[in-house]
Amino acid sequence: MTVEGDSALIYPQEHCNSPVNRKQGLLKKRARVHKPAPLRRGGRIGVVAPAGCVESEDLAAGLAAIREQCFEVELAPGIHERKGYLAGSGEIRAQDLSAFFLRDDIDAVFCARGGFGSVQLLPFLDAEIRRHPKIFCGYSDITILLNWFLQGFGLVTFHAPMVAMDLARGLSDQAKEHFWEILTGEKKTWSVQLSEAVRSGKCAAPMLGGCLSLLVTTLGTPYEIDTRGKILFLEDVGEKPYRVERMLIHLKLAGKFDGLAGIVFGDFTQCDGDGPRDVGTVIAEMFHDAPFPVVMGMAAGHGAENLALPLGVTMLLDGDAGTLSLLESPVR
C-alpha cells in the first residue's frame, strides 16, 4: 500500500489483517496479552519522541538519570527532528518506534515526552510489534499508543514517567523506587493508598486508560478503547471542570462505563474552575450510584508525583479500603 503524507489513513484491518467490525471499525477479538521481559542492569533502553519535539537540555538530563541506574541508552535517529511542534513526520516517528521494538538488542522503549502527535503514528506502526513484547513507558499524549499496544497488539504497557519530563526533573524517592523496581521485576506486587472513595466495593481486573482527553479522541475510530471488564484509570491536565464533565459524559454515552469493573481517578492538574463546581464534585455527582467501585486520588499523571501503572495486568481496586493493589508482576 502506498502512503502519501501524514494524513493518509490505513485502517487496522488493512494494516494488520485483524478481524474487524467494518460498520464500527472496532476489533471483534481482544488480543492475548503478553508480558515483556524485565529490565536487567546493563540493558539498553531506546528513547523515542513519538509526539512533540524535544528540548536537548531536558533530554540530556533525563538520559543522565537513566545512566545513573546503570542502563545503556540509545536515541532514535529522528529524536531531534522538528516539524513545528512535532518531532518530525508521523511516518518517521512510527518507523523509529517500530524499529526499536523489532530489535532484539533493545530491552525497553521509553518516550521522551508527550505534547501532541502520537495519534499520527497509528496508521504507520509495524504489525510485527506484536511479536516483540518489551517494556514501553510514557503517558499524556502517549496514552494513545499505550492503549493501542495493549488492545491491538496484546502487549502490557506502562503509564509511567518520561525521559525529558519527569526523569529530567527528578523523581521523588517513592516514585523512583516504584518505577525502576516494577520494570526490573524486583517489585512484583504493591498497594497504594488512594484519597477518596466515591463508590465502595471491590474488583480485580486488568487496567487500561490514561489521559482522559486523549481517550475520548479514540471514540468512533478503529482504535476506540474497549473498557469491558477493565479498571479504567483517568487523569488530565489543564482542563476546566466543565470540559472534564463533558468528556466523562461523552464516554458514558459511548457506552464506555457499561460492563466496567471499576474506575480510578488520578491527578487532574491545573483543572480548577472559576466557581465551587470542581472536578471532584463532577466525579462525585456522576458516579454516586455507579454499580462498580470508584475511587479518586491515585498519584499518577501530570501531578507532582507520577507513580508507574502497568496496563494490562490484574489489579485490585478496593473502594472500601480506598486502595489500589497490583496482584501480578507486569514482567515475565
Side-chain angles (χ1 to χ4, degrees), residues 12 18 25-33 130 143-157 207-209 215 218 221-228 230 256 311-312:
S18 298
L26 305 179
L27 291 178
K28 287 182 178 178
K29 296 182 179 179
R30 303 182 188 186
R32 179 184 174 188
V33 177
R130 71 179 69 240
T143 291
I144 293 286
L145 298 173
L146 296 178
N147 287 277
W148 181 246
F149 277 43
L150 171 60
Q151 184 172 307
F153 293 156
L155 305 182
V156 169
T157 57
M207 177 174 281
L208 85 169
L215 294 171
T218 70
T221 76
Y223 309 97
E224 184 170 318
I225 56 166
D226 182 0
T227 58
R228 295 169 298 170
K230 302 295 197 305
K256 297 307 169 183
L311 306 184

Side-chain angles (χ1 to χ4, degrees), residues 137-206:
C137 296
Y139 70 103
S140 191
D141 191 72
I142 312 302
T143 291
I144 293 286
L145 298 173
L146 296 178
N147 287 277
W148 181 246
F149 277 43
L150 171 60
Q151 184 172 307
F153 293 156
L155 305 182
V156 169
T157 57
F158 296 82
H159 185 280
M162 294 188 287
V163 179
M165 303 296 290
D166 317 71
L167 296 184
R169 291 192 297 264
L171 300 177
S172 70
D173 290 343
Q174 179 188 14
K176 182 186 293 186
E177 176 184 310
H178 190 85
F179 179 58
W180 292 112
E181 290 190 0
I182 287 174
L183 300 187
T184 58
E186 297 170 57
K187 181 174 291 200
K188 293 179 172 53
T189 60
W190 48 255
S191 182
V192 295
Q193 187 69 45
L194 309 180
S195 64
E196 181 180 349
V198 176
R199 287 291 287 172
S200 60
K202 298 180 182 180
C203 68

